[in-house]
Amino acid sequence: MRDRHVRKSQLLTHVLILAPAVLSLAPAWALAQSETAPAAVPTSGFSATFTHFAVAADHPVASAAGAEVLAKGGNAVDAAVAASFTLSVVRPFSCGIGGGGFMLISLPSKDSKPNAPRIERAINYRELAPRAARKNLYESLDQERASLDGALAAGVPGTVAGLLYALETYGTLDRATVLAPAIRAAREGFQTDGAYMRAAINATERFVINKDYQTRFAFTWERFLGSGAIALGDTIKNPEQAALLEAIARDGAAAFYSGTFGKSLIEHVNADALITYTAGGRNPPRNAAWFTEQDFKLPRVDDGEPLTVEFLGKRVLLMPPPSSGGIAIGQILGLAERRGLATLWAEGNSASYAHQLAESFKFAFADRANYLADPKFTAIPVKKLLGAQRLDDFARRINPSHSYGPEYYGEPGQIKIDSGTSHISVIDGRGGAVACTETINTEFGSYLAVPGSGFCLNNQMDDFTTRLDKPNAYGLRQSEKNLPEPSKRPLSSMSPTIVLDADAPIIVAGASGGPRIITATAQSILNILVRNMNAADAVAAKRMHHQWLPSVLEIERGFDDREIMNGMGVSLWLRKVRQNVKDATSGAVVQLIHRTPAGTLDAVSDPRKGGAPAGE
Ligand code: GLY
């Protein structure tokens, strides 16, 4: 019998000892294949080239699920929905039916007339704060982690409503076909990999410190953490989620939001909410219900226009707020063009390229903190933020040989960091593309899994500004525009992005990794369009990240530190121009597909998380 209380060092040993063996013996996708293996080819490497269609998710089984429905004649939306439901099973710590997300769609017109406009949509199914949410809720509670652990951390999940809306409105296949790979993965099980173990190690540590979590969040503890003894290569089966997905395939979203399951979810959540409300001996509020049937009447899915910017003659589709990433990436690309980064790179000025890109990150993140929130609650000056006047002004203020304090870039405020999250990129064989990012917020979300459901509810409430006067759990603050309110959506960094050249999708990209999503997605796109890298190198290249506050330029180890003069490397030069350079302690994970000028599809699942693309 394994020791139930596995220590971090023991778990790390599992990872280090077992990783090479398990990874070389069999790729994860092979171990979760069934007799109905997809016709399309899943790969075991992190990048591959296809000729017809491609899917890049951060787990090989999810990429294969998308490719399977494309091989059956589905379009990019069918594939994204299949991959997404499958991620709910195989990446239970990142995303899933207990969370929410954004989907950016670009499909050829249904109208066969020449030059008929493409169908371009931004679908928003991010969690909604329940009606019981209040601006000062978390300040009024005794538990420091109330917005992170347990029921009060959870927003009303939007994933099932959003994915089925996208499927019914823009997909071509039926629910049963699209959900089949996810149901199979849940019944047959998947093997834990390095990314799973990293998340499990962090969660196990918290469950060992807070022993009551082991009973309070029993499903997560027993099934996902193996009662503290989960090891690399263990198989996790999830018949509970399989049964729920089967019900969704049969009865649609009603199987999730109403009926027996919806009621039991609400009851279980409200029982757990009482634990947080009464912590520290406080009296519960008169109405201590956190979720109500009213909240669970099919949650709102917003289907709107993407933001569009021009970059080097290409059209870039971006996610509008409450994504902060769309506006931020639009600003970063606008500044890259204005500051001539392509020329700087071509002339070998890699240090100046890095410095000026970092400066653009600071302006973009200052605007994120000061202007962005749910547009249904706050007027967001999108035109101004992406307008030529503002970007010209920022470009003029970028000093090629000096960096400044945070107040130079915007009014001090602070932004938060999170992990978890997952991104899927798809290009189908008919000219369609989907970029889809989903999350339950931090790893294993709120840890709360309703018995019989097989998934963790999100802790997306922590993406709101939960405490105005104090830094949040990550030591950071956001503006009061992003305070929690009933039926409001928290600000997000998720940044699904599609680049088109003459109406053909040429890059589909996005990432997981909190605020690093924005800088990683922007750098991957710039690596292709400005640095002329191939897709694999563009994603694998070491990155930097600056989010304005804290005023630190994080650089991944191995960052291109070529010598630029008299023994001085890029990072030393960055210090010389007063960038506060530090080693990055965490990074983002990008999934990207690039249609090359030769017409092939280079698909990449970032090697940082162990995914692999699939296609044909
Ligand atoms: N919870 C991660 C994000 O939406 O930014």
Side-chain angles (χ1 to χ4, degrees):
M1 268 253 307
R2 288 198 194 109
D3 179 3
R4 284 173 66 86
H5 304 299
V6 178
R7 284 194 307 275
K8 189 168 190 165
S9 57
Q10 289 175 287
L11 286 167
L12 269 172
T13 310
H14 283 307
V15 176
L16 296 175
I17 293 174
L18 292 175
V22 171
L23 295 177
S24 66
L25 279 176
W29 63 266
L31 298 154
Q33 293 285 300
S34 74
E35 57 287 315
T36 49
V41 185
T43 66
S44 55
F46 77 93
S47 80
T49 299
F50 303 101
T51 43
H52 300 301
F53 56 74
V55 183
D58 68 20
H59 195 289
V61 173
S63 296
E68 177 179 330
V69 302
L70 287 171
K72 286 186 171 151
N75 70 4
V77 175
D78 298 314
V81 173
S84 172
F85 275 117
T86 305
L87 282 170
S88 179
V89 175
V90 299
R91 288 287 186 226
F93 56 95
S94 298
C95 60
I97 57 178
F102 298 141
M103 187 185 289
L104 204 56
I105 297 175
S106 176
L107 299 175
S109 170
K110 288 192 177 134
D111 187 338
S112 55
K113 281 197 208 112
N115 301 327
R118 291 174 67 82
I119 299 164
E120 292 178 339
R121 308 304 303 165
I123 318 281
N124 171 7
Y125 48 96
R126 188 154 167 80
E127 298 86 336
L128 289 158
R131 282 165 177 73
R134 296 289 173 265
K135 285 184 174 175
N136 67 348
L137 172 68
Y138 298 101
E139 280 172 327
S140 71
L141 294 169
D142 209 60
Q143 272 192 356
E144 195 61 28
R145 290 183 57 88
S147 63
L148 284 161
D149 303 346
L152 289 189
V156 178
T159 294
V160 173
L163 291 181
L164 295 191
Y165 170 83
L167 181 66
E168 278 149 28
T169 315
Y170 302 106
T172 63
L173 299 178
D174 58 75
R175 284 198 300 265
T177 305
V178 166
L179 275 147
I183 295 167
R184 206 167 60 224
R187 288 234 173 267
E188 295 181 357
F190 67 94
Q191 287 207 311
T192 59
D193 61 3
Y196 191 100
M197 290 308 298
R198 282 193 294 276
I201 288 163
N202 293 336
T204 299
E205 202 168 58
R206 194 160 296 286
F207 277 68
V208 168
I209 293 167
N210 303 283
K211 290 228 172 350
D212 58 313
Y213 281 20
Q214 296 173 16
T215 45
R216 183 175 173 191
F217 308 126
F219 183 90
T220 302
W221 175 242
E222 288 162 15
R223 186 70 54 81
F224 292 143
L225 303 178
S227 300
I230 196 85
L232 187 73
D234 280 358
T235 298
I236 297 182
K237 294 186 181 182
N238 195 334
E240 296 86 349
Q241 192 170 156
L244 184 54
L245 293 173
E246 278 160 358
I248 293 169
R250 193 179 54 241
D251 302 329
F256 186 87
Y257 292 105
S258 51
T260 322
F261 178 73
K263 281 198 172 64
S264 84
L265 190 152
I266 292 170
E267 274 167 25
H268 193 79
V269 159
N270 290 342
D272 187 84
L274 261 187
I275 298 175
T276 311
Y277 274 132
T278 55
R282 284 173 188 260
N283 290 325
R286 208 154 356 116
N287 181 359
W290 181 238
F291 283 177
T292 62
E293 285 187 23
Q294 187 77 343
D295 293 317
F296 264 62
K297 282 198 177 129
L298 200 58
R300 202 179 73 231
V301 174
D302 294 324
D303 179 351
E305 305 267 333
L307 301 175
T308 306
V309 300
E310 296 287 325
F311 178 62
L312 299 178
K314 317 267 188 295
R315 211 156 55 84
V316 184
L317 306 185
L318 301 159
M319 191 71 204
S323 163
S324 60
I327 289 177
I329 290 176
Q331 292 184 327
I332 292 165
L333 296 181
L335 290 174
E337 193 152 358
R338 281 168 174 77
R339 294 297 313 176
L341 290 202
T343 311
L344 275 182
W345 189 262
E347 290 174 350
N349 290 320
S350 49
S352 190
Y353 177 99
H355 164 66
Q356 299 199 37
L357 186 57
E359 293 298 282
S360 76
F361 293 169
K362 296 179 199 173
F363 282 113
F365 272 92
D367 274 1
R368 180 202 194 273
N370 288 319
Y371 289 97
L372 303 187
D374 185 344
K376 292 218 165 8
F377 286 73
T378 305
I380 309 221
V382 176
K383 283 208 171 103
K384 168 180 148 181
L385 297 177
L386 287 173
Q389 201 180 342
R390 189 169 192 79
L391 295 181
D392 289 347
D393 178 47
F394 287 169
R396 195 176 38 74
R397 289 168 60 202
I398 289 179
N399 182 335
S401 52
H402 200 75
S403 153
Y404 301 92
E407 58 293 339
Y408 184 76
Y409 308 92
E411 283 291 308
Q414 286 187 314
I415 45 168
K416 70 171 287 306
I417 303 174
D418 51 35
S419 47
T421 312
S422 192
H423 176 84
I424 307 158
S425 291
V426 184
I427 293 186
D428 65 22
R430 314 170 184 176
V434 168
C436 175
T437 315
E438 297 178 334
T439 186
I440 52 172
N441 197 23
T442 56
E443 291 155 344
F444 297 103
S446 65
Y447 303 133
L448 183 62
V450 175
S453 67
F455 65 87
C456 288
L457 272 166
N458 68 86
N459 58 356
Q460 220 66 250
M461 295 300 288
D462 197 64
D463 271 354
F464 283 114
T465 307
T466 54
R467 289 165 205 269
L468 263 182
D469 302 337
K470 287 189 210 154
N472 67 9
Y474 300 98
L476 300 163
R477 282 203 298 261
Q478 303 186 102
S479 92
E480 62 184 35
K481 294 188 178 88
N482 188 37
L483 283 166
E485 295 180 72
S487 303
K488 185 173 178 178
R489 287 183 158 122
L491 186 60
S492 173
S493 295
M494 295 188 291
S495 315
T497 304
I498 299 176
V499 182
L500 295 119
D501 192 7
D503 265 5
I506 57 159
I507 299 177
V508 182
S512 51
R516 292 171 185 81
I517 289 173
I518 295 169
T519 50
T521 304
Q523 283 170 95
S524 302
I525 292 171
L526 289 169
N527 286 347
I528 292 176
L529 295 181
V530 169
R531 295 170 71 178
N532 296 317
M533 287 180 169
N534 66 43
D537 290 347
V539 171
K542 301 300 177 192
R543 307 184 190 115
M544 53 181 200
H545 173 74
H546 202 299
Q547 58 186 44
W548 179 46
L549 288 168
S551 186
V552 171
L553 179 61
E554 293 175 8
I555 292 191
E556 284 183 323
R557 237 171 245 170
F559 180 77
D560 177 8
D561 208 3
R562 72 180 73 162
E563 182 178 324
I564 54 165
M565 64 181 93
N566 306 330
M568 188 191 287
V570 171
S571 60
L572 189 55
W573 191 85
L574 289 171
R575 286 187 174 89
K576 199 167 123 56
V577 295
R578 304 221 179 282
Q579 296 284 3
N580 184 16
V581 178
K582 299 253 162 74
D583 280 345
T585 49
S586 55
V589 174
V590 172
Q591 270 60 245
L592 179 148
I593 303 174
H594 177 216
R595 185 186 296 281
T596 65
T600 52
L601 299 171
D602 285 353
V604 190
S605 296
D606 199 321
R608 291 165 180 83
K609 196 169 175 180
E616 210 174 79

